[in-house]
């Protein structure tokens, strides 16, 4: 459904614009405690004044979700914990690093750590590392590191975040790059595209801000009889700024430049007009070019996504769904000499293609009981290459991987109880042609495992429910972890930045458990509490073995575990005022009897404390303002007790502001401002990166 453009009704200015906040290194007031108190008190006062000036409009309708069961249901009818980030929030997020992962950073249990606008998120989910919560697009897996950087957030209608094990209905992702294969052991993030479009809408915006950043966006959606479609494009160029610490291996000699172009479009066709059949298509293409602050540190990345889907209602209670996609990841980068007059050492690259397929049959029986039977497949190609100024490419790694699975899940509703149980049989094969520039010791390897998942929810009444879930997973090492991107003899060599090989890696096995309660209180106040425990045997983690040069190495770290508790309170006081607060406490531990240096250490990138606070306010005169505060208590970059470094991001404050300048039922013109890291908190991050501090963008948006 498209958003209303009317400016005659107060609800047009009651859109929940979400942002976060942080107060560090701010010089206006001498006392950090006082300035935080004054700032939040001012925002709360303004919020309350505005809320009393408008007629309350409580919204109690539950969101429709598909993540938990492959069939649209409300969160109260699914055993797992589900959060939904709506499109009205997504379109106005302050994403300082242009990463879709930042759209969920205010949810409990999530720690987002995007290194820069040019680099991936290395945060954690439920304290167990960045690769244990998969990302999906319309139920098909995508890369948790690359695709949140490449997808345009304007194409997304909502984001469904499932917390807790999801390994039966949804498979591992066969990414060989970055941190390797990915598993939904701690949960999954499903990006849902726009689907049912009721009337035409066009949105054009342009903005300018810090670091000579210019951003322009175009989006259009419409329908024609049984066809809904949308298309869009965005372009951003920037000089950016030095995002490395002092004497960093990045060794920036000038402002790093980048250009990012995104082109995307999608359609939904319902043949016959009765809604029993649906065909979908989505295409996304992203070109990301620039440099890392030196003449011979350029990069040129080319990413592509295709998603196709078909569903048909075979009867009133039987639904068949088939989805297939293509993911293309081509990255190239330059290496140059460190601390010398710039000279080019080599051109390097990664080529990766992944094809996911999923076919499922959903049968409704009895009183809302669901039986899901399905099969999925993935095929992956992965190559790394280098051209050391010889005029031709030489392969470092060259491999193929495939994964096939069959799964079944039953969900039974008995009065106030919902009981769920499922099994998956998974087969994985790796075929290696080259590894680390030479012949592999083992050309082919395969594994097969039986995976289970189960859960129960008890709805005591319409206001109180309890739930518990469990499941396991199995994850094979990715080729980047096994073969690296640089040779073992490059360890510690200046200018040789990348991943060191470890051909002795073993697969890992995981177990995830969670339990919690959801409580709805008077005045539309909602409270939730969730505890979780995740354990992984032979956990494959990425250790930072050198900051300068920047080098990592994957290792089996014995048994890793994360135990934590999440608490959240949120309230929709009126249609123009919403607030929330949540807190997560986690204890992580690595047990390795073979390596005393790792035994008793924590899991890299996993903070013990995460807290978020947000207020969203809109007024009758067209002003919307949303401050969001996020706190990260800090984490280590390695499980090596002797070689690790502690990083404490602390608080991060982001604010979104918009003001409608003119409009009626058919058009709207508004000014908007996006203010990131308002308190200029320049905290350090792993690999000698740092948050560059405050940045702002301001612009105009026209919607008609």
């Amino acid at each position: 459904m498209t958003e209303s453009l009317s400016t005659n009704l107060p609800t047009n200015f009651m859109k929940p614009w979400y942002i976060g906040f942080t107060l560090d290194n701010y010089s206006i007031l001498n006392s950090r405690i006082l300035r935080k108190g004054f700032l939040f008190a001012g925002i709360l006062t303004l919020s309350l004044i505005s809320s009393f000036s408008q007629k309350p409009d409580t919204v109690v309708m539950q969101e429709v979700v598909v993540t938990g069961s492959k069939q649209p249901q409300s969160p109260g009818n699914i055993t797992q914990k589900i959060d939904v980030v709506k499109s009205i929030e997504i379109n106005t997020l302050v994403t300082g690093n242009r990463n879709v992962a930042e759209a969920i950073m205010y949810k409990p249990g999530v720690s987002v750590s995007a290194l820069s606008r040019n680099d991936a998120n290395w945060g954690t989910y439920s304290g167990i590392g960045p690769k244990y919560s998969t990302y999906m697009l319309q139920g098909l897996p995508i890369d948790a590191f690359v695709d949140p950087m490449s997808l345009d957030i304007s194409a997304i209608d909502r984001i469904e975040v499932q917390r807790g094990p999801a390994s039966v209905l949804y498979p591992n992702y066969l990414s060989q790059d970055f941190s390797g294969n990915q598993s939904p052991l701690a949960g999954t993030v499903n990006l849902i595209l726009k689907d049912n479009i009721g009337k035409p809408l066009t949105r054009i915006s342009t903005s300018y801000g810090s670091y000579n950043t210019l951003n322009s966006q175009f989006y259009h959606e419409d329908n024609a009889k049984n066809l809904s479609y949308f298309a869009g494009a965005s372009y951003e160029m920037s000089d950016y700024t030095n995002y490395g610490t002092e004497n960093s291996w990045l060794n920036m000699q000038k402002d790093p430049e980048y250009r990012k172009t995104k082109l995307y479009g999608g359609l939904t066709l319902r043949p016959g007009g009765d809604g029993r059949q649906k065909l979908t298509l989505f295409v996304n293409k992203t070109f990301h070019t620039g440099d890392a602050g030196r003449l011979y540190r350029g990069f040129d990345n080319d990413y592509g996504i295709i998603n196709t889907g078909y569903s048909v209602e075979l009867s009133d209670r039987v639904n068949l769904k088939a989805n297939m996609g293509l993911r293309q990841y081509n990255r190239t980068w330059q290496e140059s000499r460190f601390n010398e007059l710039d000279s080019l050492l080599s051109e390097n690259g990664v080529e990766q293609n992944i094809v996911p397929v999923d076919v499922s049959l959903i049968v409704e029986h009895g009183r809302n009981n669901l039986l899901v039977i399905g099969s999925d497949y993935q095929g992956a190609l992965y190559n790394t290459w280098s051209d050391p100024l010889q005029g031709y490419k030489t392969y470092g790694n060259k491999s193929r991987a495939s994964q096939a699975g069959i799964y079944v899940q039953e969900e039974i509703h008995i009065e106030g109880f919902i009981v769920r149980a499922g099994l998956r049989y998974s087969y994985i094969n790796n075929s290696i042609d080259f590894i680390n520039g030479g012949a592999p010791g083992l050309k082919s390897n395969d594994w097969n495992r039986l995976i289970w998942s189960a859960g129960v929810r008890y709805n005591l009444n319409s206001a109180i429910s309890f739930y518990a879930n469990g499941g396991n997973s199995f994850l094979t090492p990715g080729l980047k972890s096994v073969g690296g991107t640089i040779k073992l003899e490059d360890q510690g060599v200046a200018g040789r930045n990348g991943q060191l090989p470890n051909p002795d890696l073993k697969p890992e096995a995981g177990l995830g458990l969670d339990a919690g309660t959801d409580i709805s209180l008077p005045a539309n106040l909602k409270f939730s509490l969730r505890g979780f425990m995740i354990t992984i045997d032979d956990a494959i983690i990425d250790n930072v073995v050198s900051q300068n040069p920047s080098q990592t190495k994957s290792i089996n770290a014995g048994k890793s575990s994360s135990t934590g508790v999440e608490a959240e309170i949120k309230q929709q006081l009126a249609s123009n005022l919403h607030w929330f607060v949540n807190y997560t406490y986690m204890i992580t531990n690595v047990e390795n009897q073979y390596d005393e240096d790792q035994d008793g250490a924590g899991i890299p990138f996993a903070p013990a404390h995460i807290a978020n606070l947000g207020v969203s306010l809109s007024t009758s005169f067209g002003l919307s303002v949303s401050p969001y505060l996020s706190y990260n208590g800090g984490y280590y970059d390695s499980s090596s007790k002797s070689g690790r470094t502690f990083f404490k991001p602390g608080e991060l404050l982001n604010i979104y502001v918009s003001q409608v300048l003119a409009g009626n039922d058919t058009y709207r013109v508004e000014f908007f401002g996006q203010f990131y890291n308002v308190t200029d908190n320049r905290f350090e991050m792993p690999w000698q990166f740092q948050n560059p501090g405050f940045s702002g963008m301001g612009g105009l948006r026209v919607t008609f």
Side-chain angles (χ1 to χ4, degrees):
M1 180 179 293
T2 56
E3 59 182 309
S4 170
L5 299 180
S6 170
T7 58
N8 299 321
L9 298 175
T11 53
N12 290 305
F13 307 119
M14 300 176 185
K15 304 193 181 297
W17 316 100
Y18 293 103
I19 301 156
F21 66 101
T22 166
L23 295 161
D24 236 356
N25 304 327
Y26 201 55
S27 59
I28 293 180
L29 297 174
N30 292 327
S31 169
R32 292 180 62 196
I33 297 176
L34 283 176
R35 65 175 177 261
K36 293 178 186 179
F38 281 131
L39 178 59
F40 184 69
I43 293 169
L44 184 58
T45 301
L46 181 61
S47 302
L48 292 173
I49 291 173
S50 174
S51 66
F52 286 122
S53 69
Q54 306 209 25
K55 181 179 179 180
D57 183 14
T58 302
V59 179
V60 296
M61 184 178 66
Q62 290 187 322
E63 302 89 351
V64 172
V65 301
V66 301
T67 299
S69 63
K70 290 184 180 279
Q71 183 78 348
Q73 296 188 83
S74 62
N77 289 324
I78 297 174
T79 68
Q80 301 96 329
K81 178 64 176 177
I82 303 283
D83 293 309
V84 179
V85 184
K86 303 175 185 177
S87 61
I88 208 164
E89 310 166 33
I90 294 170
N91 291 333
T92 56
L93 287 168
V94 177
T95 53
N97 288 303
R98 315 310 193 243
N99 197 305
V100 173
E102 293 173 290
I104 64 169
M105 67 180 291
Y106 304 107
K107 296 300 178 183
V110 177
S111 171
V112 172
S113 184
L115 297 179
S116 77
R117 294 184 186 178
N118 297 327
D119 296 274
N121 166 42
W122 285 86
T124 185
Y125 303 86
S126 297
I128 203 66
K131 64 178 182 177
Y132 297 102
S133 180
T134 56
Y135 275 70
M136 298 189 296
L137 184 67
Q138 298 283 88
L140 275 180
I142 56 177
D143 193 281
F145 293 86
V146 178
D147 290 314
M149 295 190 293
S150 64
L151 283 167
D152 195 297
I153 206 165
S154 296
I156 300 170
D157 181 66
R158 68 185 186 274
I159 302 175
E160 299 171 0
V161 182
Q162 175 183 323
R163 288 183 267 156
S167 300
V168 166
L169 291 187
Y170 302 105
N172 293 348
Y173 188 58
L174 283 185
S175 174
Q176 307 297 311
D177 206 2
F178 287 90
S179 194
N181 294 338
Q182 298 153 27
S183 165
L185 177 64
T188 188
V189 179
N190 198 3
L191 310 179
I192 306 299
L193 301 170
K194 298 179 186 296
D195 186 310
N196 192 10
I197 297 170
K199 61 182 180 180
L201 180 142
T202 301
R203 185 169 56 241
I204 302 172
S205 69
T206 184
S207 57
Y208 179 80
S210 303
Y211 321 129
N212 291 321
T213 301
L214 176 65
N215 184 289
S216 297
Q217 298 188 25
F218 169 83
Y219 174 82
H220 176 73
E221 64 182 35
D222 202 349
N223 66 82
K225 293 185 179 180
N226 302 327
L227 177 68
S228 295
Y229 62 91
F230 65 88
S234 66
Y235 175 75
E236 182 168 281
M237 58 181 295
S238 178
D239 293 340
Y240 205 16
T241 189
N242 190 337
Y243 46 82
T245 58
E246 186 176 357
N247 298 319
S248 165
W249 67 274
L250 293 165
N251 192 31
M252 295 186 183
Q253 304 298 315
K254 66 181 188 67
D255 288 336
E257 299 177 2
Y258 79 87
R259 309 282 186 271
K260 184 174 283 190
T261 302
K262 300 179 181 180
L263 305 170
Y264 60 92
L267 60 85
T268 301
L269 176 64
R270 293 176 170 83
D274 58 3
R276 298 184 69 89
Q277 295 186 73
K278 183 170 72 173
L279 294 101
T280 61
L281 171 67
F282 175 74
V283 179
N284 184 89
K285 191 69 172 176
T286 298
F287 304 96
H288 186 195
T289 62
D291 62 57
R294 298 209 304 269
L295 181 62
Y296 295 112
R297 282 282 291 162
F299 60 84
D300 187 349
N301 302 329
D302 181 349
Y303 306 131
I305 291 178
I306 298 176
N307 251 41
T308 62
Y310 173 72
S311 65
V312 56
E313 294 182 11
L314 300 177
S315 71
D316 292 340
R317 289 195 156 202
V318 181
N319 195 349
L320 176 66
K321 296 182 179 180
N323 297 280
M324 184 173 70
L326 171 65
R327 288 82 171 98
Q328 293 182 310
Y329 311 102
N330 296 316
R331 298 191 297 119
T332 64
W333 66 93
Q334 295 177 324
E335 291 286 359
S336 60
R337 298 190 185 279
F338 179 72
N339 280 338
E340 297 180 18
L341 182 65
D342 258 7
S343 58
L344 183 63
L345 284 176
S346 62
E347 300 272 358
N348 309 274
V350 165
E351 300 167 349
Q352 183 171 212
N353 297 327
I354 300 177
V355 175
V357 180
D358 180 88
V359 179
S360 59
L361 186 71
I362 301 100
V363 180
E364 184 178 346
H365 60 98
R367 297 184 60 184
N368 300 319
N369 301 329
L370 284 179
L371 173 65
V372 182
I373 303 172
S375 178
D376 49 41
Y377 169 83
Q378 283 179 53
L381 299 175
Y382 179 77
N383 303 325
T384 65
W385 58 267
S386 179
D387 179 4
L389 306 183
Q390 296 175 351
Y392 58 89
K393 298 179 181 179
T394 58
Y395 283 110
N397 299 326
K398 189 173 184 180
S399 74
R400 290 153 289 138
S402 61
Q403 174 179 271
I406 55 174
Y407 54 86
V408 58
Q409 178 173 284
E410 177 71 84
E411 186 177 279
I412 299 175
H413 296 239
I414 307 174
E415 296 184 349
F417 284 94
I418 303 169
V419 181
R420 177 185 59 84
L423 291 174
R424 165 184 285 271
Y425 173 78
S426 184
Y427 171 82
I428 302 171
N429 174 267
N430 283 353
S431 297
I432 302 173
D433 298 318
F434 293 102
I435 186 167
N436 200 24
L442 184 65
K443 290 186 176 182
S444 181
N445 203 355
D446 59 347
W447 304 266
N448 61 86
R449 290 292 189 278
L450 188 65
I451 296 170
W452 64 270
S453 179
V456 60
R457 176 180 287 269
Y458 175 57
N459 294 318
L460 180 64
N461 50 46
S462 60
I464 302 174
S465 63
F466 305 92
Y467 62 87
N469 296 277
N472 68 339
S473 71
F474 173 72
L475 198 62
T476 58
L479 191 70
K480 181 183 178 184
S481 298
V482 173
T485 60
I486 56 178
K487 297 181 179 181
L488 188 60
E489 53 265 31
D490 290 331
Q491 183 169 346
V493 178
R496 303 307 296 170
N497 307 295
Q499 178 106 4
L500 295 165
N502 185 355
D504 298 324
L505 286 172
K506 297 178 290 185
E508 59 184 30
L511 173 67
L513 304 170
D514 77 344
T517 182
D518 293 320
I519 302 175
S520 295
L521 301 171
N524 209 24
L525 187 69
K526 298 183 184 300
F527 171 77
S528 64
L529 181 69
R530 173 178 174 263
F532 59 86
M533 182 178 69
I534 302 173
T535 59
I536 299 176
D537 290 319
D538 293 320
I540 301 171
I541 61 176
D542 284 332
N543 270 339
V544 176
V545 298
S546 172
Q547 295 280 357
N548 191 355
S550 174
Q551 295 179 347
T552 60
K553 185 178 182 180
S554 295
I555 62 169
N556 287 112
K559 182 177 181 179
S560 296
S561 64
S562 173
T563 304
V565 61
E566 307 165 350
E568 182 176 40
I569 301 174
K570 56 185 178 180
Q571 185 179 28
Q572 184 89 37
L573 282 173
S575 57
N576 68 316
L577 180 60
H578 172 270
W579 67 272
F580 73 89
V581 60
N582 60 62
Y583 170 73
T584 304
Y585 174 68
M586 298 181 290
I587 300 175
T588 66
N589 185 54
V590 174
E591 300 176 17
N592 193 332
Q593 59 179 325
Y594 304 106
D595 189 345
E596 184 178 347
D597 187 45
Q598 293 183 40
D599 195 31
I603 296 175
F605 307 105
H609 304 277
I610 305 171
N612 300 290
L613 170 66
V615 178
S616 299
L617 163 72
S618 55
T619 69
S620 58
F621 49 88
L623 174 67
S624 297
V625 57
S626 299
Y628 269 28
L629 173 66
S630 181
Y631 173 81
N632 187 313
Y635 51 81
Y636 289 98
D637 64 348
S638 171
S639 62
S640 168
K641 291 184 291 186
S642 62
R644 63 185 180 177
T645 303
F646 185 74
F647 299 91
K648 186 175 182 179
E651 305 94 353
L652 182 67
L653 169 63
N654 300 331
I655 300 177
Y656 180 90
V657 179
S658 69
Q659 173 66 56
V660 175
L661 304 177
N664 56 30
D665 290 342
T666 60
Y667 81 96
R668 182 171 66 239
V669 180
E670 59 186 320
F671 168 81
F672 65 91
Q674 299 174 336
F675 305 102
Y676 172 76
N677 197 350
V678 173
T679 56
D680 200 30
N681 178 15
R682 305 190 180 196
F683 54 86
E684 295 185 4
M685 293 184 288
W687 297 293
Q688 298 185 329
F689 283 73
Q690 73 169 352
N691 187 299
F694 171 79
S695 63
M697 296 282 289
L700 288 175
R701 181 185 298 115
V702 179
T703 308
F704 56 91

